[in-house]
């Protein structure tokens, strides 16, 4: 049973301090899955603390993978790889709220000679899965669903390689198909229309898989040969950039802010947020840049400034998809406002994020224009605190906690517990760096 909690946010004067982020959610999911099908042990330090990544670990356990959390406080997970053949689960694989778990793990389940049932919560049960069902079926998996939505019943087995042009730019689908490709006869080729995050490719290489990649227009083509074996990995997961986005945007609200973010993920396919915040007027410098198993990591020093506006469209919308809610939530406080287009994927995330952002902004007294594929939010607005809803969506809860810092009066967010999907300590950490 879920217990509803409210968060109360009061106006702030400044953001100041240092924040070390839990491990990146996208990378944690992929490492947990690949460690499970690798040979030998893996050790993952700074594993995501979010409930979503715990869902992935729960599914891996149900598939017979042995893993344990080490009690040393640094979120270390040790996994004993099962190799490519997992064990038939005796219960449904519960993906909770996590689209990443269901979509990416369906690629591995499709390579297994048994049937897996994958289920999710009410939000996940509404999300489109035909984007993985169609190509996995073409590879030979048998998949039953509720009209393209969860639950999925996947009967895997010997897969054949395909060449697949993804109609939707989705890193989850790309990873799903590359993972399935490991079990296929021949070389599977996945082409995406726009470049999406490449953590799947980077992780596969870190586990010893050989991949070929080449540019294809604005997108990218990746090829993986089936039958390769993975070897266990010892690594440290960089801090989650999409979680850091909330603090960076909070810092942007106050010209006197000073924030340090050590050991943050800086992968270029994820770091578009930094470009856009710099263009808008935030001062960001990066020090101590290093590479850990193919992922770039650095320390950010951030100083507030007056924020100009931005227009986000085309490939930038795909690159910023998880950060758009918080950028939109601070848009009224920028000089020229923010317009987002080409982002209709936001309507099928954990909530309809376009509608959720517009509803909450209007409750705070803001003007916000809504389009099928985006939003236009004028700048230079003053907002007041209001009673808001998280729409059971972690990124909506956190985005409006940030907006509430610059509103007059108190902002109350119902369903604030959903922040724990990606970042359980969010509200506490926000409080620690907020000056009043
Ligand atoms: C993710 C990809 C994105 C993103 C999601 C995580 C990933 O989704 O929104 O939060 O880890 O690959 P899509 O694959 O649907 O674009």
């Amino acid at each position: 049973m879920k217990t509803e909690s409210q968060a109360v946010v009061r106006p702030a004067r400044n953001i100041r301090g240092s924040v070390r982020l839990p491990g990146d959610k996208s990378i944690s999911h992929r490492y947990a899955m690949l460690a499970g099908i690798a040979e030998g042990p893996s050790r993952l330090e700074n594993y995501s603390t979010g409930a979503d990544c715990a869902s992935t670990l729960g599914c891996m356990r149900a598939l017979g993978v042995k893993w344990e959390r080490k009690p040393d406080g640094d979120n270390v997970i040790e996994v004993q790889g099962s190799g490519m053949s997992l064990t038939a689960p005796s219960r449904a694989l519960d993906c909770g709220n996590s689209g990443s778990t269901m979509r990416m793990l369906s690629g591995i389940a499709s390579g297994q000679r048994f049937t897996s049932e994958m289920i999710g919560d009410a939000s996940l049960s509404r999300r489109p899965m035909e984007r993985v069902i169609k190509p996995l079926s073409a590879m030979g998996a048998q998949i039953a669903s509720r009209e393209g939505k969860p639950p999925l019943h996947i009967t895997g087995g010997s897969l054949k390689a395909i060449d697949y042009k993804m109609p939707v730019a989705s890193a989850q689908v790309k990873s799903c198909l590359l993972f399935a490709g490991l079990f296929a006869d021949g070389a599977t080729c996945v082409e995406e229309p726009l470049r999406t995050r490449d953590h799947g490719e980077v992780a596969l290489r870190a586990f010893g898989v050989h991949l070929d990649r080449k540019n294809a227009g604005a997108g990218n083509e990746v090829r993986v040969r089936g039958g390769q074996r993975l070897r266990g990995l010892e690594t440290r997961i960089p801090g989650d950039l999409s979680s850091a986005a909330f603090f960076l945007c909070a810092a942007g609200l106050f010209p006197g802010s000073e924030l340090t973010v050590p050991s943050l993920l800086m992968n270029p396919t994820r770091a578009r947020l930094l470009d856009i915040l710099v263009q808008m007027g935030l001062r960001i410098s990066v020090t101590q840049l290093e590479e850990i198993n193919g992922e770039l990591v650095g320390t950010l020093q951030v100083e507030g400034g007056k924020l100009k506006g931005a227009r986000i469209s085309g490939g930038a919308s795909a690159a910023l998809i998880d950060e758009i809610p918080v950028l939109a939530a601070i848009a009224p406080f920028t000089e020229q406002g923010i317009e987002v287009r080409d982002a209709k994927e936001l309507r099928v995330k954990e909530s309809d994020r376009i509608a959720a952002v517009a509803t909450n902004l209007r409750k705070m007294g803001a003007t916000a224009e809504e389009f099928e594929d985006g939003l236009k939010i004028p700048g230079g607005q003053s907002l007041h605190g209001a009673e808001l809803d998280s729409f059971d969506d972690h990124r909506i809860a956190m985005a409006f906690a940030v907006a509430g810092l610059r509103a007059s009066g108190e902002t109350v967010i119902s369903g604030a517990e959903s922040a724990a999907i990606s970042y359980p300590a969010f509200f506490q950490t926000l409080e620690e760096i907020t000056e009043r």
Side-chain angles (χ1 to χ4, degrees), residues 1 11 18 48 63 119 126 145 182-183 193 198 233 249 260 263 294 310 333 337 356 366 372 375 379 384 410 418-419:
M1 258 257 305
S18 176
S48 165
L63 289 163
I119 59 171
R126 289 190 293 267
S145 69
L182 294 171
F183 299 89
D198 66 357
L233 177 69
C249 287
T260 304
S263 303
F333 308 112
E372 189 46 36
L375 293 149
H384 54 74
E410 268 184 10
S418 62

Side-chain angles (χ1 to χ4, degrees), residues 85-104:
S85 298
L86 300 175
T87 308
S90 57
R91 54 189 152 93
L93 303 176
D94 188 353
C95 303
N97 190 243
S98 176
S100 299
T101 306
M102 190 172 285
R103 296 202 180 116
M104 295 195 281

Side-chain angles (χ1 to χ4, degrees), residues 20-101:
R20 188 175 283 276
L21 276 306
D24 185 71
K25 179 160 98 67
S26 293
I27 298 176
S28 295
H29 282 301
R30 288 165 170 87
Y31 282 179
M33 290 179 201
L34 296 182
I37 58 168
E39 278 160 22
S42 290
R43 180 183 157 89
L44 311 174
E45 283 176 31
N46 200 35
Y47 189 79
S48 165
T49 51
D52 269 7
C53 293
S55 293
T56 289
L57 285 172
C59 291
M60 296 314 286
R61 177 159 284 158
L63 289 163
V65 174
K66 295 196 169 45
W67 58 265
E68 59 176 347
R69 254 176 225 285
K70 302 309 273 185
D72 71 354
D74 201 14
N75 297 307
V76 177
I77 307 286
E78 284 185 357
V79 184
Q80 196 54 52
S82 293
M84 302 303 273
S85 298
L86 300 175
T87 308
S90 57
R91 54 189 152 93
L93 303 176
D94 188 353
C95 303
N97 190 243
S98 176
S100 299
T101 306

Side-chain angles (χ1 to χ4, degrees), residues 68-259:
E68 59 176 347
R69 254 176 225 285
K70 302 309 273 185
D72 71 354
D74 201 14
N75 297 307
V76 177
I77 307 286
E78 284 185 357
V79 184
Q80 196 54 52
S82 293
M84 302 303 273
S85 298
L86 300 175
T87 308
S90 57
R91 54 189 152 93
L93 303 176
D94 188 353
C95 303
N97 190 243
S98 176
S100 299
T101 306
M102 190 172 285
R103 296 202 180 116
M104 295 195 281
L105 196 54
S106 64
I108 292 174
S110 293
Q112 307 299 321
R113 299 186 179 280
F114 50 74
T115 301
S116 306
E117 183 189 7
M118 302 182 100
I119 59 171
D121 69 5
S123 150
L124 182 53
S125 300
R126 289 190 293 267
R127 297 183 64 187
M129 292 297 147
E130 72 278 3
R131 55 186 67 188
V132 292
I133 295 174
K134 192 170 165 240
L136 290 173
S137 303
M139 292 176 84
Q142 286 169 30
I143 307 184
S145 69
R146 199 178 40 83
E147 292 174 1
K149 308 249 163 78
L152 304 183
H153 288 85
I154 303 182
T155 307
S158 47
L159 299 182
K160 56 178 185 295
I162 55 168
D163 279 3
Y164 190 65
K165 263 188 185 215
M166 300 194 314
V168 189
S170 161
Q172 293 171 350
V173 177
K174 177 175 56 171
S175 290
C176 162
L177 298 180
L178 294 175
F179 293 177
L182 294 171
F183 299 89
D185 190 8
T188 297
C189 182
V190 186
E191 189 182 324
E192 54 184 355
L194 295 168
R195 274 207 85 174
T196 63
R197 62 191 74 188
D198 66 357
H199 303 303
E201 297 92 301
V202 172
L204 281 165
R205 287 198 173 113
F207 279 88
V209 172
H210 179 80
L211 293 176
D212 292 315
R213 191 199 79 75
K214 63 176 194 236
N215 293 336
N220 174 40
E221 189 186 289
V222 192
R223 187 178 292 271
V224 66
R225 201 171 22 80
Q228 301 188 60
R229 300 202 170 282
L230 283 68
R231 52 163 196 269
L233 177 69
E234 280 199 16
T235 194
R236 184 173 174 82
I237 300 173
D240 192 316
L241 182 59
S242 300
S243 297
F246 300 102
F247 304 130
L248 300 178
C249 287
L253 292 176
F254 306 99
S257 296
E258 279 183 19
L259 185 65

